Amino acid sequence: MAGRNGLFVPGPTNVPDRVLRAMVVPMEDHRSPRFPALTRDCLEGLKAVFKTSTATPFLFPSSGTGCWEAALSNCLSPGDMVLVARFGQFSHLWVDMCHRLGFEVQVLECEWGEGAPLERYEAALAADTAHRIKAVLVTHNETATGVTSDVAGVRRAMDATGHPALLFVDAVSSLASIDFRMDDWKVDVCVSGSQKGLMMPAGLGVTCVSEKALEARRRTARQPVCYFDYIDMQNQNRNGYFPYTPPLPLLYGLRESLAMLAEEGLENVFRRHAYLAGGVRAAVQQGWGLEVCAKQPQWYSDTVSAVVVPAGTDAARVIDRAFRRYNLSLGAGLSKVAGKVFRIGHLGDCNELMLMQAIGGAEMAMIDCGLPIEPGSGVAAAQRHWRAHEAEASGTTGGM
Ligand SMILES: *Cc1c(COP(=O)(O)O)cnc(C)c1O
């Protein structure tokens, strides 16, 4: 098919040309005296993105899922209890991993489309007077439903009950796109990956670990861990090296993407994501007269919108039509919301006119599938939104 594929799945996201070019490098000796400078640039740059001066970022050759496993295996012991809310496919997969690794899992079941239930977290923690819960897990941005949760609120619930559990946060689809604060929120492990807000290919597990979590690893944790051992990684990283062969091109790419984020300014990056998301929601709600899956505005995600199609329509047909006819990749509905939603990713290296491709293409695909949508209605609503909010547009990237 001629022209570029419109890639609007919520990861992998579009990789800026600058980052692509930075990754075209000859292989080199990862034990050379030159190599540590690259490691240090990446890890120092990540501290700014995690908003931490006290925690330790690590890069594992894995996807984000590997960092979930790293968090659980490094900090806990067999049979430990974890507290976790399930409100979408990614929080579900985290619960599933906890079961499969042999932990006792207390699940706060929520409707898909809701965010982290702060009162129920607090009640569960208050009830746990014996402090059997060793870790509290929360998915900051549930990518399946387009729901952002209040991580600071979860921390407040923990503090209000004086509960000493560790706080693990999945920020795979929020880091570097939606404000995340490792130190302010006293997060113990933040789990992320390279292929979403960091504008990179998949392949780097990007994580950050507090002193308290490292202390747990050293003193109390008995879960077996080897490949993902924080201590091995920390010992090597201290001198700029890795315990095994790192994916060199990805490190060069990450250094470039971190430079781009710093040039734009992290706060401007967040503002741009909020502004772009506002235009997409205007298209969905005002233009098409549809709803997003997130049940309340407080949970609207600035990185992904799950568009609920009218009952009786199969969203998978819209996605298929968009791809085959218009070379447009929309995100599928996963698990419980399969067929009910399609998703538009609006994160990473993105601007208004790129999103016009997604909105215009989704609109045509829906009309082709028989939905009663007025041609141009979503595009017009997005135009009106973005033209009316120019002051918030600061930092729109050139992407070159
Ligand atoms: C993408 C995603 C994951 C999975 O990450 P992988 O890099 O595919 O392993 C986990 N959680 C959330 C919230 C995600 O968006």
Side-chain angles (χ1 to χ4, degrees):
M1 242 187 274
R4 284 209 179 189
N5 169 246
L7 182 65
F8 294 95
V9 296
T13 64
N14 293 284
V15 179
D17 294 356
R18 256 177 78 173
V19 174
L20 285 174
R21 281 194 294 270
M23 290 189 296
V24 182
V25 289
M27 290 308 103
E28 65 183 73
D29 176 11
H30 61 289
R31 311 238 184 249
S32 80
R34 199 183 88 140
F35 184 76
L38 175 61
T39 308
R40 291 202 178 107
D41 284 349
C42 288
L43 296 178
E44 280 307 310
L46 281 174
K47 282 189 185 177
V49 172
F50 283 109
K51 294 196 174 175
T52 187
S53 58
T54 59
T56 308
F58 294 121
L59 292 165
F60 289 101
S62 76
S63 74
T65 303
C67 295
W68 278 346
E69 183 152 345
L72 297 167
S73 315
N74 273 281
C75 304
L76 302 176
S77 297
D80 273 358
M81 185 185 278
V82 301
L83 174 66
V84 54
R86 169 157 55 193
F87 41 71
Q89 180 64 5
F90 292 96
S91 41
H92 162 71
L93 288 171
W94 210 2
V95 170
D96 178 61
M97 180 184 278
C98 291
H99 282 299
R100 287 160 69 171
L101 291 176
F103 299 110
E104 197 176 326
V105 191
Q106 193 178 336
V107 182
L108 305 172
E109 295 289 357
C110 307
E111 260 197 79
W112 287 33
E114 293 179 353
L118 303 184
E119 302 76 17
R120 291 167 64 201
Y121 268 106
E122 183 164 342
L125 291 164
D128 179 38
T129 48
H131 293 166
R132 293 191 55 225
I133 296 167
K134 299 301 177 198
V136 173
L137 280 49
V138 59
T139 299
H140 185 202
N141 189 75
E142 175 49 79
T143 318
T145 55
V147 160
T148 304
S149 285
D150 179 6
V151 176
V154 175
R155 166 47 71 191
R156 277 196 301 276
M158 296 175 72
D159 287 352
T161 53
H163 203 291
L166 297 166
L167 175 58
F168 295 172
V169 179
D170 174 338
V172 180
S173 61
S174 52
L175 189 74
S177 314
I178 297 171
D179 196 12
F180 173 86
R181 305 175 181 208
M182 187 85 191
D183 286 0
D184 283 0
W185 301 342
K186 291 181 277 174
V187 173
D188 291 298
V189 182
C190 176
V191 170
S192 196
S194 49
Q195 79 277 19
K196 295 182 184 175
L198 289 169
M199 311 177 286
M200 296 262 298
L204 277 180
V206 180
T207 191
C208 193
V209 184
S210 74
E211 269 310 308
K212 181 177 168 185
L214 286 172
E215 199 60 17
R217 165 71 190 90
R218 287 189 211 100
R219 298 204 185 281
T220 56
R222 294 288 171 268
Q223 191 75 9
V225 61
C226 178
Y227 185 78
F228 288 111
D229 193 333
Y230 291 158
I231 302 302
D232 291 349
M233 191 56 92
Q234 189 180 33
N235 287 341
Q236 290 292 322
N237 281 177
R238 203 170 273 129
N239 302 315
Y241 297 101
F242 284 79
Y244 32 63
T245 321
L248 281 134
L250 292 179
L251 297 180
Y252 281 103
L254 178 63
R255 182 163 72 177
E256 193 68 20
S257 83
L258 292 170
M260 290 180 69
L261 291 168
E263 285 165 26
E264 185 175 350
L266 204 50
E267 303 308 316
N268 289 332
V269 172
F270 301 151
R271 256 195 295 280
R272 169 168 56 86
H273 279 79
Y275 158 82
L276 292 174
V280 173
R281 284 192 297 269
V284 175
Q285 296 170 327
Q286 288 137 46
W288 301 333
L290 299 177
E291 259 316 325
V292 292
C293 184
K295 292 192 188 303
Q296 288 178 31
Q298 71 188 96
W299 293 320
Y300 286 170
S301 168
D302 286 341
T303 60
V304 55
S305 295
V307 182
V308 181
V309 298
T313 306
D314 182 1
R317 279 185 54 229
V318 176
I319 295 164
D320 187 69
R321 177 72 183 172
F323 186 78
R324 288 175 193 274
R325 174 75 175 83
Y326 303 113
N327 197 11
L328 169 66
S329 295
L330 298 169
L334 302 173
S335 180
K336 269 195 198 181
V337 289
K340 296 182 179 153
V341 307
F342 66 83
R343 294 175 298 153
I344 300 174
H346 32 84
L347 73 163
D349 187 45
C350 210
N351 62 26
E352 298 94 330
L353 296 193
M354 289 168 77
L355 284 170
M356 281 302 196
Q357 186 179 16
I359 294 167
E363 193 166 276
M364 286 196 283
M366 285 192 288
I367 295 168
D368 295 349
C369 290
L371 272 72
I373 302 268
E374 185 62 28
S377 57
V379 169
Q383 286 178 345
R384 276 194 290 273
H385 179 91
W386 287 324
R387 291 190 64 259
H389 292 81
E390 187 177 347
E392 294 155 36
S394 62
T396 296
T397 51
M400 301 300 280

